[in-house]
Amino acid sequence: WYNGRNGKYNASLYFDDNDYVNAGDISQMNSATYLSISAWMKRDVANNKVIIQKGTGSTSQVVIDFWSDGSLYFENDNGGDGYGGIALNDTNWHHVVLVFDGTQSGNNKLKGYVDGKLASLSYTGTIQATTPNMSGQNFYIGRSAGSYSDGQIDDVKLFSYPLTAAQVKTLYNQGSATRFGPISGTP
């Protein structure tokens, strides 16, 4: 996956159309009330896909993806095809964070942050109170249900609680020397 490419910090994972990382079935992501995923992501060319996903497809998955339509999507598809998206189609590094809190109401359950700031998402479908039961499904970096990434992904982190805006900002601002420091907080 590394092909002589510099990442946001040191080297990154580089994907070129048919490779990916399989991190296995992370059971804490299944039927969860709280979840956060953060990563640095970069398209090599406008309209390229760059994907992080757990689940089986369009109605049973949790995903962050730069899609080929020029948008960035944050998805918690739990039978309702629920997601939010924004137009973002450049080739810059972006820090993206999906924050899911099933105790909130309506679309407030799913938030997306880009470069340390809360994004104003356009929502489709219904955001359910839990993530899907994706037991037996793997967490992939660079792949989603038959689609593959063309770009780079760096510094992927999973949290079993909804990050606050301040915690997201801390992740975004961390330098390479301190990026592995703890982010405190619980639901």
Side-chain angles (χ1 to χ4, degrees):
W1 307 294
Y2 176 69
N3 192 19
R5 302 277 177 128
N6 289 328
K8 182 64 181 174
Y9 300 112
N10 300 313
S12 73
L13 296 172
Y14 170 70
F15 303 96
D16 61 356
D17 206 25
N18 63 0
D19 43 4
Y20 59 92
V21 173
N22 181 345
D25 181 8
I26 300 172
S27 62
Q28 294 85 348
M29 295 179 74
N30 303 332
S31 302
T33 303
Y34 306 108
L35 176 69
S36 298
I37 305 170
S38 75
W40 286 93
M41 298 171 71
K42 177 187 183 304
R43 288 180 162 114
D44 280 346
V45 176
N47 294 323
N48 276 3
K49 298 175 187 175
V50 183
I51 308 161
I52 298 172
Q53 181 219 11
K54 176 164 171 58
T56 60
S58 63
T59 61
S60 184
Q61 64 183 353
V62 174
V63 182
I64 300 173
D65 55 6
F66 284 109
W67 204 246
S68 57
D69 64 359
S71 295
L72 168 64
Y73 294 102
F74 301 89
E75 306 180 34
N76 178 39
D77 297 334
N78 188 356
D81 202 30
Y83 60 90
I86 61 168
L88 185 60
N89 196 23
D90 61 32
T91 58
N92 298 323
W93 279 104
H94 291 286
H95 185 251
V96 294
V97 182
L98 177 150
V99 176
F100 175 71
D101 182 349
T103 66
Q104 299 298 309
S105 62
N107 292 338
N108 289 323
K109 294 175 190 149
L110 180 67
K111 295 179 181 175
Y113 290 82
V114 179
D115 298 333
K117 297 177 185 169
L118 181 62
S120 180
L121 303 178
S122 295
Y123 290 91
T124 299
T126 302
I127 309 300
Q128 302 295 321
T130 64
T131 63
N133 181 358
M134 301 169 286
S135 181
Q137 301 299 316
N138 295 329
F139 181 72
Y140 294 106
I141 301 170
R143 175 180 176 223
S144 171
S147 292
Y148 297 90
S149 292
D150 284 310
Q152 293 173 260
I153 301 174
D154 200 1
D155 210 26
V156 177
K157 295 181 181 183
L158 300 172
F159 302 86
S160 61
Y161 54 90
L163 293 171
T164 66
Q167 290 167 329
V168 169
K169 190 72 165 177
T170 297
L171 280 174
Y172 173 69
N173 287 327
Q174 284 179 333
S176 60
T178 61
R179 73 182 196 280
F180 295 112
I183 300 294
S184 62
T186 56

